[in-house]
């Protein structure tokens, strides 16, 4: 089916891949004639079925026809299902990026709500068999049914909308609490999306979201027949989905909204905090849920409609949906990277904490022998033990079964003899971040490896070109910067030098793909992507701290950005020694005007103390006495011309302007080709907020990119 453009009369660039609804009648001995509606992607396409304006029109028409046939007595039940591994993937998110989004979403939402009401008045039972994923609007379609079943292996059930800057606005916010325990409904709507959690079929059954797990539609119909026969499904007396004011269900719902999100804040407080940093979807969703008890279905659906239409045009939705698309496109592919070499054996030079984590990841991903090598046999043995422990932890989290874990662990070995790496196709060095040491290790490896073997560095900030300049074959060197902790961090920066061969670069990307990580390519430049930008932020923060600003005020100054942690907590996480080292590398390579060396940070490193103190009753750790001592008495330039040291909004402005400048330079220098690479790297490697789109959409929305670089990074997409 040819894609169609929505709202042809409006200034719309949205092109829809129109979902088909395949209809057939199926005879069932215990039910009679069942109208089976199957949601399918456009003919000849393998993409999941999604809901755009024309798709929803098709769904509406098919369901309306089924309801009419039920009224006429032609059918005795309606069954909804999907194709392949997808029931319904939900709304087509690309329509939210269109300039005419409000004109698209409002009538679709009205149609969805009208269907919810009419399906609840169906004179025959309605079944939804989740043959595959049911997300967002797809699950809301399933909520139209009296009975829901699912395949035992189905994954991807949930309502992720609040993480996309909107809310479940096609009936989900209103109706989920009528199907499962209200406390669980609140968790599924508010907290699961923030944790990127989706339900498996088993979990959905445990919650009561699906009634039973069955292998196929025929078995689902058998279950429906049983429910009809025992009187559990009666279309003439469906319960009111809205809890009465003061009822037990209403009290449970309101209590869930006031329940702890963490030890430091309730869900309401969390939602209010997120709204204060530019993410209003949680607060709007809580508002709809708050008003639910004692209202009517029509009133609650109207509240949903008002909320989703308003949120759909917000900066947070624009940033969130942009981020979602980046993550979708950047996800590790199923096909091998073209031009990559075959890797049959891998070596890791070094056996410390980072090296052993990477070795475990390579064994898990590549499924080939991995040899850890360290000069010290005891360190090598400890590294091997730790790497095998990482495999065991993966098994305990359900990532692989125990037998597979044993097989992968057996692929790992350790040695103190560099000759044992001679037959490796790839060796990755993960030794201390000292250029002289890394050059020595690479030179030693080149002396024993075949000329075709890859040499890989895990450096986080040093020049890969400088590391390899004295090698006979620098073209076989590539950087793969894994982030710590390796098992949890999904990003790997793939660093190319001017001399890295295309085949070696492709192989680097293939290694990342097989490790199921997101690879973002960077030119060989100081700090690559993530560290360069993180330290541009920290440099401004430390500049104010060195100049005598109140450290608590400095720490809180960047809160409006919505970052996952405050600056001094980030320093503790990175490690004071690592931060001091990387900061000095960047100062040396890029200049102290943008990356000044912090005297206070040096003194904190000398003290051996942390910069923050964790209090579980507070959202953010507090500044430590050691940090105050380290920065007391430091004099690095004093106040600005106006007599003040930047804190609060002034410091935030300096940070944003500095980031815009740095992004502009990185694009100009060819560190990355597109701002999307920067945003994906910051989201995955530094936890930058998705509702900000990572970074560059936020810089466009605030106008800072235009002011600093003379142009928005994304044209007029995020500007007002």
């Amino acid at each position: 089916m040819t894609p169609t453009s929505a709202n042809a009369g409006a200034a719309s660039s949205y092109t829809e891949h129109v979902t088909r609804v395949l209809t057939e009648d199926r005879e069932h001995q215990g039910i009679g004639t069942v109208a089976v509606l199957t949601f399918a992607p456009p003919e000849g396409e393998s993409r999941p079925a999604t809901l755009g304006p024309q798709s929803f029109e098709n769904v509406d028409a098919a369901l309306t026809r089924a309801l009419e046939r039920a009224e006429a007595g032609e059918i005795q039940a309606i069954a909804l299902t999907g194709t392949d591994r997808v029931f319904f993937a939900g709304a087509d998110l690309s329509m939210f990026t269109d300039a005419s989004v409000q004109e698209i979403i409002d009538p679709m939402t009205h149609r969805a709500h009208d269907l919810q009401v009419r399906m609840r008045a169906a004179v025959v039972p309605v079944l939804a068999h989740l043959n595959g994923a049911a997300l967002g609007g797809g699950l809301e379609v399933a909520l139209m049914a009296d009975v829901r079943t699912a395949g035992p292996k189905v994954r991807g059930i949930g309502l992720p909308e609040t993480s996309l800057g909107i809310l479940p606005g096609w009936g989900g916010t209103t109706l989920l609490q009528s199907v499962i325990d209200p406390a669980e409904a609140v968790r599924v709507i508010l907290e699961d999306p923030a944790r990127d959690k989706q339900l498996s079929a088993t979990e959905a059954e445990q919650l009561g979201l699906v009634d039973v797990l069955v292998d196929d539609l025929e078995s689902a119909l058998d279950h429906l027949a049983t429910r009809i026969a025992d009187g559990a499904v009666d279309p003439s007396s469906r319960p009111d989905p809205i809890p009465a004011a003061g009822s037990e269900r209403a009290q449970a719902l309101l209590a869930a909204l006031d329940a702890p999100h963490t030890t430091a804040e309730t869900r309401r407080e969390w939602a209010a905090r997120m709204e204060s940093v530019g993410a209003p979807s949680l607060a709007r969703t809580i508002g709809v849920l708050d008003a639910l008890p004692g209202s009517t279905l029509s009133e609650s659906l109207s509240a949903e409609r008002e909320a989703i239409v308003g949120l759909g045009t917000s900066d947070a939705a624009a940033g969130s949906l942009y981020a979602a698309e980046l993550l979708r496109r950047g996800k590790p592919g199923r096909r091998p990277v073209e031009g990559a070499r075959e890797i049959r054996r891998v070596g890791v030079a070094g056996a410390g904490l980072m090296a052993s984590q990477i070795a475990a990841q390579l064994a898990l991903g590549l499924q080939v022998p991995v040899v850890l090598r360290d000069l010290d046999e005891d360190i090598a043995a400890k590294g091997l033990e730790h790497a095998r422990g990482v495999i065991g932890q993966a098994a305990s989290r359900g990532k692989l079964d125990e037998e597979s874990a044993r097989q992968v662990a057996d692929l790992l070995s350790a040695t103190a003899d560099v000759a044992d790496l001679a037959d490796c196709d790839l060796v990755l060095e993960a030794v201390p971040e000292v250029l002289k040491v890394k050059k020595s290790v690479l030179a030693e490896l080149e002396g024993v490896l075949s000329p075709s073997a890859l040499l890989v560095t895990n450096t986080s900030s040093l020049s890969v070109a400088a590391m390899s300049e004295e090698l006979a074959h620098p073209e076989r060197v590539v950087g793969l910067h894994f982030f710590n902790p390796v098992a949890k961090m999904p990003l790997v920066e793939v660093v190319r030098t001017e001399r890295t061969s295309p085949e070696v670069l492709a192989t680097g990307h293939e290694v990342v793909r097989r490790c199921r990580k997101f690879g973002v390519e960077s030119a060989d430049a100081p700090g690559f992507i993530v560290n360069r930008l993180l330290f541009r932020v920290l440099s401004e923060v430390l500049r104010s701290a060195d100049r005598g600003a109140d450290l608590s005020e400095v720490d809180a100054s960047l809160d409006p950005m919505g970052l996952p942690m405050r600056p001094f907590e980030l320093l503790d996480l990175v490690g004071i020694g690592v931060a001091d080292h990387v900061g000095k590398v960047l100062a040396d390579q890029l200049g102290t005007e943008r990356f000044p060396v912090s005297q206070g940070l040096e003194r904190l490193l000398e003290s051996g103390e942390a910069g923050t103190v964790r209090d579980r009753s507070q959202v953010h750790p507090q500044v430590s006495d050691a940090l105050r001592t380290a920065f007391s008495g430091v004099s690095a330039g004093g106040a600005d011309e106006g007599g003040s040291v930047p804190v609060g909004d002034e410091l935030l402005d300096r940070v944003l302007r500095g980031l815009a400048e740095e992004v502009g330079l990185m694009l100009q220098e060819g560190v990355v080709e597109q701002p999307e690479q920067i945003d994906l790297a910051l989201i995955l490697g530094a936890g930058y907020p998705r509702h900000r789109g990572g970074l560059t959409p936020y810089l466009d929305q605030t106008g800072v990119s235009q002011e600093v670089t003379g142009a928005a990074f994304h044209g007029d997409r995020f500007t007002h």
Side-chain angles (χ1 to χ4, degrees):
M1 182 176 291
T2 304
T4 63
S5 294
N7 294 348
S12 173
S13 60
Y14 166 58
T15 299
E16 180 180 358
H17 294 261
V18 181
T19 292
R20 299 173 295 154
V21 183
L22 311 178
T23 61
E24 66 167 330
D25 285 352
R26 183 177 297 196
E27 297 300 323
H28 188 278
Q29 186 175 3
I31 301 173
T33 303
V34 181
V36 178
L37 279 59
T38 302
F39 308 120
E43 191 169 359
E45 293 189 16
S46 59
R47 69 193 315 275
T50 55
L51 285 165
Q54 183 61 53
S55 300
F56 223 129
E57 189 173 318
N58 290 351
V59 171
D60 190 351
L63 286 172
T64 297
R65 176 59 182 148
L67 291 172
E68 291 171 348
R69 294 184 66 204
E71 290 279 359
E74 297 176 15
I75 58 173
Q76 285 70 55
I78 300 170
L80 314 176
T81 192
T83 58
D84 196 18
R85 294 183 296 175
V86 177
F87 171 76
F88 226 144
D92 182 355
L93 298 182
S94 59
M95 66 185 173
F96 284 90
T97 66
D98 191 80
S100 59
V101 59
Q102 193 162 357
E103 298 171 31
I104 297 173
I105 298 302
D106 193 26
M108 281 186 68
T109 303
H110 178 75
R111 172 169 266 155
H113 290 168
D114 178 63
L115 262 180
Q116 289 284 8
V117 172
R118 288 192 289 128
M119 291 298 287
R120 295 193 68 80
V123 298
V124 298
V126 181
L127 165 74
H129 175 59
L130 309 187
N131 61 293
L135 289 168
L139 182 55
E140 288 171 302
V141 169
L143 289 174
M144 296 177 183
D146 300 298
V147 173
R148 282 163 297 280
T149 60
K153 296 182 180 180
V154 167
R155 305 187 69 84
I157 301 172
L159 296 170
E161 285 90 341
T162 52
S163 69
L164 299 172
I166 51 177
L167 87 167
W170 293 346
T173 303
T174 295
L175 296 173
L176 187 62
Q177 55 75 38
S178 70
V179 174
I180 65 176
D181 180 89
E184 297 291 355
V186 169
R187 176 182 62 78
V188 169
I189 292 172
L190 297 182
E191 293 182 333
D192 282 2
R195 296 166 180 156
D196 283 332
K197 176 174 173 52
Q198 297 168 0
L199 301 172
S200 66
T202 300
E203 291 169 325
E205 182 190 29
Q206 291 169 349
L207 291 179
L209 182 54
V210 299
D211 298 86
V212 67
L213 306 184
V214 295
D215 290 328
D216 50 33
L217 179 59
E218 190 63 31
S219 300
L221 291 172
D222 291 341
H223 173 71
L224 176 62
T226 300
R227 296 291 304 277
I228 294 171
D230 63 21
V233 176
D234 183 359
S236 67
S237 60
R238 291 185 176 94
D240 186 349
I242 306 300
S247 66
E248 185 176 335
R249 181 168 287 273
Q251 291 174 8
L253 175 64
L254 298 178
L257 298 177
D258 289 316
H261 171 61
T262 65
T263 57
E265 60 187 349
T266 66
R267 286 168 172 156
R268 288 186 193 274
E269 291 168 339
W270 169 49
R273 178 170 61 84
M274 293 306 297
E275 186 172 30
S276 74
V277 298
S281 63
L282 293 169
R284 291 296 299 271
T285 305
I286 285 178
V288 174
L289 290 169
D290 232 350
L292 197 56
S295 67
T296 66
L297 178 59
S298 176
E299 289 170 344
S300 186
L301 292 177
S302 293
E304 276 190 8
R305 180 182 176 188
E306 180 182 351
I308 194 172
V309 170
L311 290 169
T313 58
S314 67
D315 284 347
S320 298
L321 292 159
Y322 164 84
E325 183 65 10
L326 288 183
L327 293 166
R328 185 187 69 81
R329 291 182 178 179
K331 188 176 181 179
R334 296 181 182 179
R335 297 179 180 178
V337 176
E338 187 175 351
R341 296 179 187 171
E342 182 181 3
I343 301 296
R344 293 160 297 187
R345 183 177 173 86
V346 171
V348 175
L353 181 62
M354 195 66 182
S356 58
Q357 290 182 77
I358 294 173
Q361 194 68 47
L362 292 171
L364 282 165
L366 301 182
Q367 298 284 305
V368 300
V370 177
V371 185
L372 280 153
R373 187 259 175 164
D374 195 277
L375 291 170
D376 187 306
E377 289 186 357
D378 289 339
I379 292 176
K382 288 179 182 177
L384 175 61
E385 181 182 3
H386 184 258
R388 287 177 171 166
V390 172
I391 304 297
Q393 291 169 10
S396 68
R397 294 195 304 270
K399 300 294 184 182
L400 69 169
D401 59 46
E402 291 188 9
E403 178 57 31
S404 297
R406 281 194 292 271
Q407 292 174 1
V408 174
D410 287 344
L411 292 171
L412 291 159
S413 61
T415 184
D417 188 351
V418 70
D420 290 337
L421 304 180
D423 58 350
C424 289
D425 302 300
L426 178 154
V427 178
L428 180 146
E429 72 76 18
V431 298
E433 282 283 287
V434 179
L435 182 60
K436 184 177 180 180
V437 173
K438 288 184 180 288
K439 291 181 72 170
S440 174
V441 168
L442 291 180
E444 180 187 33
L445 291 170
E446 188 172 52
V448 299
L449 295 174
S450 73
S452 63
L454 271 71
L455 287 171
V456 179
T457 173
N458 182 53
T459 183
S460 60
S461 59
L462 298 175
S463 168
V464 179
M467 228 177 278
S468 58
E469 63 186 358
E470 296 175 11
L471 298 177
H473 297 285
E475 72 280 356
R476 62 167 163 179
V477 179
V478 67
L480 295 182
H481 176 211
F482 287 83
F483 285 69
N484 188 32
V486 175
K488 293 183 178 180
M489 296 298 286
L491 176 68
V492 177
E493 290 176 322
V494 181
V495 184
R496 69 183 190 280
T497 72
E498 292 184 357
R499 302 177 73 174
T500 302
S501 75
E503 188 181 23
V504 167
L505 183 61
T507 307
H509 279 289
E510 173 63 5
V511 169
V512 173
R513 183 194 73 85
R514 290 178 64 183
C515 288
R516 309 311 297 162
K517 301 289 187 183
F518 290 74
V520 178
E521 189 172 319
S522 169
D524 181 31
F528 312 132
I529 302 171
V530 174
N531 277 339
R532 179 165 173 174
L533 291 167
L534 282 187
F535 279 85
R536 186 65 198 264
V537 172
L538 291 172
S539 292
E540 292 296 343
V541 168
L542 293 170
R543 194 196 307 263
S544 283
D546 278 333
R547 293 164 72 181
D550 181 272
L551 296 180
S552 294
E553 289 185 42
V554 168
D555 205 28
S557 294
L558 307 189
D559 284 359
M561 291 180 70
L563 300 176
M565 60 187 68
R566 285 178 171 173
F568 293 130
E569 182 184 6
L570 175 62
L571 283 172
D572 282 342
L573 179 67
V574 170
I576 305 302
V578 172
D580 182 65
H581 168 75
V582 174
K584 288 175 177 175
V585 168
L586 291 171
D588 179 62
Q589 297 292 316
L590 298 174
T592 56
E593 183 177 344
R594 302 197 327 264
F595 295 91
V597 174
S598 169
Q599 297 177 34
L601 187 63
E602 289 179 330
R603 291 172 61 175
L604 182 64
L605 176 61
E606 291 170 2
S607 76
E609 300 290 335
T612 59
V613 178
R614 167 62 71 181
D615 181 344
R616 289 175 59 83
S617 68
Q618 295 180 317
V619 173
H620 300 290
Q622 302 303 295
V623 169
S624 70
D625 290 341
L627 188 75
R628 297 187 191 281
T629 300
F631 281 89
S632 64
V634 173
S635 178
D640 281 348
E641 188 175 331
S644 64
V645 177
V647 293
D649 290 344
E650 188 178 354
L651 177 55
L652 174 63
D653 182 64
R654 287 182 67 101
V655 165
L656 293 179
R657 296 178 74 85
L659 285 169
E661 178 187 27
E662 210 62 39
V663 169
L665 289 170
M666 291 168 71
L667 290 166
Q668 182 180 323
E669 295 164 6
V671 177
V672 293
E673 295 180 359
Q674 301 292 336
E676 287 84 355
Q677 294 167 266
I678 287 172
D679 295 316
L680 183 60
L682 287 175
I683 289 168
L684 296 172
Y688 267 48
R690 297 184 193 181
H691 72 271
R692 299 297 194 195
L695 175 63
T696 64
Y698 179 45
L699 295 175
D700 283 358
Q701 289 167 348
T702 56
V704 173
S705 53
Q706 178 73 42
E707 292 175 15
V708 174
T709 70
F713 294 121
H714 299 275
D716 61 0
R717 177 174 178 180
F718 297 106
T719 56
H720 300 290

